[in-house]
Amino acid sequence: MSERRTDLHPDVEAMLSALEAGFPDVTEHDPAELREIIVSRRAPLSRQPDMAIARDVAIDGPDGDLLGVRIYVPHGRSDDRRDDARPVVVFAHGGGFVFCDLDSHDEFCRAMAAEVDAVVVSVDYRLAPENPAPAAMEDMYRAICWTAENIAGYGGDPARIAVAGDSAGGNLVATASIAARDRGGPAIVAQVLLYPVIDDDLDTESYRRYGVGYYNSTKAMRWYWDQYAPNGRDSARIIPTRAASLAGLPAAVVATAELDPPCSAGEDYAHRLREAGVPVIEHRFDGLFHGFLTFPQLSLTPPAREKVWQMMRDVLAQTANQPSH
């Protein structure tokens, strides 16, 4: 194993060492077994922060089966006297397309709902390899369509729907945004990509620098792609950079982590979006690693989260006075 940088924050170094010791090598396990191991090592659900509504709903999926979503509606702030509808965020969790679920990101979605003051719809999309690409993207697209049709009943504004995802979820958000544009689907006002897995190029600068020793790895990313898209990846439904054009996509928030192998691809995607005329708010979190936003116990995570929440508030505020349609 290569040596890690010596200038890391002590808390980051300690967290990376703990993850290295406690997180399984994903490539050595059957996916079903891997999910069981990860769930067994997960902290108990805190159900915090408290929500006015935190409800699991089964909706019709794209293939006729039921698709689970969890809807979070925050309490009103003490100084909030508005009676207008809140913006909405349809969220796709990370997990390499293979693991994680509604519970793994429950605390994160609650915090997002409370701090962004938005209705959050978290999607329990189908996992690979049992459901290869583009099944997960189609689930996300279906959840976006359902949200546009039904979220007013939860106090959400169907004219202000954003999509957000971390890691593999960032890929699903990017590809679902392209699908919504190309299919004439719901108007998405913003896409929030958090250390997104944009493409399968494993020979970028960040892969070369941080592909070993920083929690996420080149070896693991190759395995994730093999699980998710074993039948080819030459499609914008799987890799967003394969789209003929990125013009006309929703405004983007792109947050990357310096020590993350997919960092370069995320930054390149932000650049491509700008070149296509898409407004982009971009920030790289230096000295932090893939997945850090879901580790609230890390001392650097709360201020980083606040930066993400502010970027989301900023992009959503730009849509606040747009007419409904």
Side-chain angles (χ1 to χ4, degrees):
M1 177 180 295
S2 64
E3 294 291 331
R4 281 200 289 266
R5 279 174 25 187
T6 59
D7 62 340
L8 299 182
H9 190 285
D11 291 351
V12 170
E13 174 65 39
M15 179 64 76
L16 287 172
S17 296
L19 289 168
E20 184 178 79
F23 195 81
D25 182 340
V26 297
T27 67
E28 295 181 354
H29 298 277
D30 171 86
E33 178 189 32
L34 176 64
R35 292 173 200 133
E36 292 180 359
I37 293 171
I38 291 173
V39 169
S40 71
R41 298 181 183 180
R42 205 155 65 195
L45 283 179
S46 67
R47 305 293 186 189
Q48 293 297 322
D50 185 50
M51 294 281 107
I53 297 174
R55 180 177 301 162
D56 287 358
V57 177
I59 68 175
D60 290 332
D63 292 338
D65 294 330
L66 293 178
L67 172 64
V69 300
R70 183 172 294 168
I71 302 170
Y72 302 88
V73 180
H75 292 286
R77 299 182 186 277
S78 59
D79 60 348
D80 185 0
R81 299 185 180 182
R82 300 169 312 153
D83 58 4
D84 55 321
R86 286 181 165 98
V88 182
V89 180
V90 183
F91 180 77
H93 65 76
F97 308 105
V98 175
F99 54 89
C100 288
D101 50 32
L102 298 179
D103 287 347
S104 64
H105 286 64
D106 182 75
E107 183 275 336
F108 183 76
C109 286
R110 288 168 179 265
M112 184 194 312
E115 296 302 323
V116 180
D117 195 25
V119 177
V120 173
V121 180
S122 185
V123 183
D124 195 20
Y125 59 83
R126 287 171 291 175
L127 300 175
E130 296 90 340
N131 304 282
M137 187 284 292
E138 294 293 353
D139 285 352
M140 276 301 299
Y141 180 71
R142 175 67 192 114
I144 294 165
C145 293
W146 179 90
T147 298
E149 297 164 359
N150 295 275
I151 206 61
Y154 294 88
D157 184 352
R160 285 199 292 158
I161 295 176
V163 290
D166 70 321
S167 187
N171 172 282
L172 301 179
V173 161
T175 51
S177 295
I178 293 170
R181 178 198 66 183
D182 293 349
R183 298 174 186 178
I188 299 171
V189 299
Q191 53 179 322
V192 180
L193 314 179
L194 307 175
Y195 33 81
V197 175
I198 290 298
D199 61 38
D200 59 350
D201 180 1
L202 308 185
D203 191 32
T204 65
E205 180 181 1
S206 55
Y207 270 102
R208 292 190 292 270
R209 287 189 176 189
Y210 304 115
V212 178
Y214 294 88
Y215 176 44
N216 193 18
S217 70
T218 302
K219 178 183 177 183
M221 288 303 308
R222 181 176 291 109
W223 186 83
Y224 293 140
W225 277 115
D226 288 344
Q227 304 307 303
Y228 180 56
N231 302 318
R233 302 162 196 166
D234 190 21
S235 169
R237 296 194 298 168
I238 300 172
I239 294 182
T241 53
R242 305 282 152 82
S245 171
L246 300 179
L249 290 175
V253 170
V254 181
T256 55
E258 180 193 11
L259 309 180
D260 182 20
C263 178
S264 295
E267 294 179 341
D268 178 67
Y269 193 58
H271 177 72
R272 293 191 191 199
L273 288 169
R274 281 198 194 91
E275 285 191 324
V278 176
V280 177
I281 301 173
E282 182 183 5
H283 184 79
R284 182 178 70 184
F285 289 96
D286 291 334
L288 282 166
F289 54 91
H290 190 84
F292 74 92
L293 288 170
T294 55
F295 294 98
Q297 68 273 34
L298 178 65
S299 64
L300 302 184
T301 295
R305 278 190 178 186
E306 177 50 37
K307 175 66 176 179
V308 170
W309 307 149
Q310 188 59 56
M311 290 190 292
M312 292 180 69
R313 289 191 290 259
D314 288 346
V315 74
L316 288 170
Q318 296 169 12
T319 70
N321 297 318
Q322 292 180 4
S324 299
H325 35 262

